[in-house]
Amino acid sequence: MKKYILILAAFALLGTTACNDWLDVRPKTTVGEEELFSREVGFMEALAGIYIKMAKPELYARTLSYGFIDVLGQRYQFGDWGNADFYTFPSARNEATLNSIWRAMYNQIANINNLLYWTDKNSHVFTTDGYYELVKGEALGLRAFMHFDLLRMYGPVYMNDPQAARISYRRDFSRDPQEPLPSDQVIAAILKDLAAAEELLSVADPLLFTFPRTKTDEDILYTEHDVFKTYRQCRMNLYAVRAMMARVHLWAGNTTEAARYAQMVVDSRQFELVDAALDRMRSREMIFSIYVDRFNEQAGRDFFGEYPQYSIASRAFLDAQFAVAEDGANDVRYREGTGFEQSGAVWVSLKYRQAGLWWSTMNTVRLIGLPEMYYILAECAQDYTESARHLNRVRDRRAIEPTSYLTPAAKRTAIEREYRKEFYGEGQLFFFYKRLGYETFLHSPIRVMTDANYVFSIPDDEIIFGKS
């Protein structure tokens, strides 16, 4: 029971397994679904099932966080992960992973659409104030979140070809194939879902971003609050939706709107930059995260085992990642004991070490954090002094000196370095390079990256909800 409490803000699963029964994308007419969605708690269980499946290694617990996406960002030195074939889509080194991501993501979207169907069909079963709005708002936000990541992976380098049709936007629970939409229309659909989610959550989200340090603290929390409404940082909350608005607008080049939404998140005072040396998980910076069952075992193998795959063999490689020659030597995200440690002949990140974490931050992978909002503000600001000020807010809490710049190139370099440092193990760096169409980047095995080296291939058979 404990794992479900931490995953989903105590979703009151009552020991049932119904949420797993409908997650196989079955027809809406099944008796199991009629029974599941005849009760308010059934919607909570179904929503829990979606978050649980998001937190599988093939999605955000590894592949789309510190795994395959960060391999493409050239974060590690292990085996042949520096091979140029990783950027040929498809190739023997990536095809199975690309197909798995595609199918898992669209399967999740189908589950979300099924939940949304029943949420409206059986809205009368909701009896607790705010539960309907929370369930529907979160589901809409998750549908937008997953479509956006599909677009970031399988879509074009957007600034070069916003009309390229690569993915479909699934709004219905159906196995019928759909034609891919122009990418700018996919962006519009994502923003429409996010706007609807924002409207629902703005009236229902209790904004309880809670971080108990001990089991006793957690028990007290449960006696004082509706447990379904706690741990909002583990679910698609109102400010996760607004942070997504900022992220999506930036991808589309709408800097005014991107900055507006990023500033809304910063101004909310729901989150704060913390001293990363004292709080390795940066708890109060978490806007949206997932709980990963048995993550201590997974991370133990991946980072701290006898032959850790997600490791760096050369100190020079690590130093370049953190710009040590310029200003990174004192950065707590780099330093021995707070950022990295040497394990045998390799260096490994401490970001996912579970020992010594608070009760409420164990087994957690951050999907959106407050520093990204400052980086968006820095990128969107026209004035160099204002731009640097946003970067320096984060740099100050990471124990490095302020930066400044006077040219567009220097500004981009400063922001890129912060992405490299802050998002190690989180899968965001490759998307930064793709969004800006980098022709090369640090440690890239490709001499000149073309658009084709950034666009994932879609499965040939297209058996999951799409058409090529």
Side-chain angles (χ1 to χ4, degrees):
M1 187 65 182
K2 169 64 182 170
K3 64 183 178 182
Y4 295 118
I5 291 172
L6 283 178
I7 294 169
L8 304 169
F11 253 4
L13 297 185
L14 306 180
T16 69
T17 58
C19 67
N20 292 320
D21 295 337
W22 71 279
L23 284 171
D24 297 323
V25 194
R26 304 195 305 174
K28 290 193 282 283
T29 56
T30 61
V31 174
E33 286 184 7
E34 291 280 2
E35 170 61 22
L36 179 67
F37 294 117
S38 67
R39 301 166 294 126
E40 186 177 69
V41 71
F43 287 90
M44 299 157 66
E45 293 168 2
L47 185 57
I50 290 168
Y51 285 108
I52 290 168
K53 287 217 165 185
M54 283 181 66
K56 295 295 183 182
E58 59 268 26
L59 287 179
Y60 292 95
R62 181 191 288 127
T63 301
L64 301 184
S65 53
Y66 66 80
F68 180 72
I69 296 296
D70 251 12
V71 170
L72 295 179
Q74 289 301 307
R75 308 299 247 161
Y76 313 109
Q77 288 177 304
F78 182 85
D80 67 347
W81 281 359
N83 194 296
D85 285 350
F86 276 102
Y87 303 87
T88 299
F89 302 115
S91 73
R93 286 182 169 83
N94 61 39
E95 185 172 18
T97 300
L98 304 183
N99 293 353
S100 174
I101 295 170
W102 178 270
R103 295 186 175 102
M105 293 285 277
Y106 272 115
N107 183 269
Q108 275 289 81
I109 289 168
N111 294 328
I112 293 168
N113 285 335
N114 198 27
L115 174 59
L116 286 166
Y117 168 85
W118 285 101
T119 299
D120 283 338
K121 181 178 181 180
N122 283 8
S123 59
H124 61 279
V125 309
F126 289 94
T127 58
T128 306
D129 185 48
Y131 275 24
Y132 168 83
E133 290 82 4
L134 281 175
V135 170
K136 186 171 182 179
E138 288 184 38
L140 287 168
L142 290 172
R143 183 167 74 181
F145 181 89
M146 301 197 79
H147 275 106
F148 183 61
D149 274 355
L150 280 166
L151 184 67
R152 291 202 292 180
M153 291 182 285
Y154 298 88
V157 176
Y158 189 85
M159 69 177 187
N160 292 342
D161 192 4
Q163 279 77 50
R166 295 283 300 165
I167 72 167
S168 59
Y169 201 90
R170 304 290 307 193
R171 296 184 182 86
D172 300 314
F173 181 72
S174 168
R175 291 182 180 273
D176 297 334
Q178 286 188 355
E179 295 286 347
L181 292 173
S183 295
D184 56 357
Q185 293 185 30
V186 174
I187 288 288
I190 291 168
L191 292 171
K192 182 177 180 180
D193 268 354
L194 289 172
E198 181 185 29
E199 182 177 1
L200 289 161
L201 294 174
S202 65
V203 299
D205 195 333
L207 302 177
L208 289 171
F209 299 99
T210 39
F211 294 94
R213 298 185 182 214
T214 67
K215 178 64 166 64
T216 301
D217 292 340
E218 187 181 60
D219 290 340
I220 293 172
L221 173 69
Y222 295 160
T223 63
E224 295 179 350
H225 297 284
D226 177 345
V227 293
F228 181 63
K229 296 181 177 181
T230 58
Y231 289 104
R232 293 300 296 158
Q233 73 276 4
C234 295
R235 309 230 307 268
M236 181 56 69
N237 59 78
L238 172 63
Y239 285 102
V241 167
R242 288 174 174 165
M244 276 300 299
M245 290 276 211
R247 185 183 276 183
V248 174
H249 278 299
L250 187 67
W251 188 267
N254 303 323
T255 56
T256 300
E257 286 299 284
R260 184 169 76 89
Y261 278 102
Q263 193 67 58
M264 288 174 68
V265 176
V266 170
D267 289 345
S268 72
R269 307 298 181 190
Q270 295 292 335
F271 316 96
E272 60 181 316
L273 295 170
V274 301
D275 186 335
L278 301 176
D279 181 358
R280 194 169 71 247
M281 285 302 298
R282 306 161 175 72
S283 57
R284 289 295 304 170
E285 296 178 6
M286 284 188 197
I287 299 172
F288 180 36
S289 62
I290 53 168
Y291 174 91
V292 182
D293 188 31
R294 304 174 75 92
F295 191 50
N296 58 324
E297 298 175 14
Q298 176 184 314
R301 291 190 302 270
D302 289 348
F303 289 94
F304 311 110
E306 186 175 0
Y307 301 105
Q309 295 185 60
Y310 301 97
S311 60
I312 292 174
S314 162
R315 185 59 181 261
F317 186 100
L318 175 61
D319 288 353
Q321 291 269 0
F322 284 83
V324 170
E326 286 78 21
D327 59 10
N330 292 321
D331 196 322
V332 295
R333 296 167 294 190
Y334 164 84
R335 288 204 311 251
E336 186 86 13
T338 60
F340 283 78
E341 73 173 13
Q342 188 170 5
S343 176
V346 300
W347 284 263
V348 293
S349 171
L350 297 175
K351 181 170 283 189
Y352 295 119
R353 170 163 284 173
Q354 299 303 298
L357 295 181
W358 296 352
W359 190 259
S360 53
T361 55
M362 294 170 60
N363 304 322
T364 300
V365 173
R366 183 177 74 173
L367 301 184
I368 309 176
L370 183 61
E372 184 179 354
M373 300 299 104
Y374 283 103
Y375 299 160
I376 290 173
L377 288 169
E379 190 169 339
C380 295
Q382 298 299 309
D383 179 78
Y384 294 129
T385 300
E386 178 188 356
S387 174
R389 178 174 57 84
H390 293 303
L391 288 190
N392 289 334
R393 289 290 302 278
V394 183
R395 289 169 64 91
D396 176 69
R397 304 305 285 167
R398 304 301 185 249
I400 48 178
E401 294 297 316
T403 189
S404 62
Y405 36 80
L406 295 173
T407 68
K411 172 183 173 180
R412 176 179 286 196
T413 296
I415 294 171
E416 176 196 338
R417 286 176 180 167
E418 292 308 304
Y419 268 80
R420 290 207 312 258
K421 298 170 188 176
E422 183 65 29
F423 298 119
Y424 192 95
E426 296 186 31
Q428 297 302 316
L429 184 61
F430 179 73
F431 294 138
F432 174 85
Y433 293 145
K434 178 174 179 175
R435 174 170 59 82
L436 295 174
Y438 271 52
E439 291 188 356
T440 190
F441 50 81
L442 184 66
H443 300 136
S444 172
I446 305 291
R447 189 183 184 97
V448 178
M449 294 279 287
T450 68
D451 286 14
N453 298 124
Y454 283 113
V455 180
F456 291 8
S457 56
I458 294 170
D460 289 337
D461 53 12
E462 263 293 45
I463 62 172
I464 301 293
F465 305 127
K467 294 176 73 173
S468 58

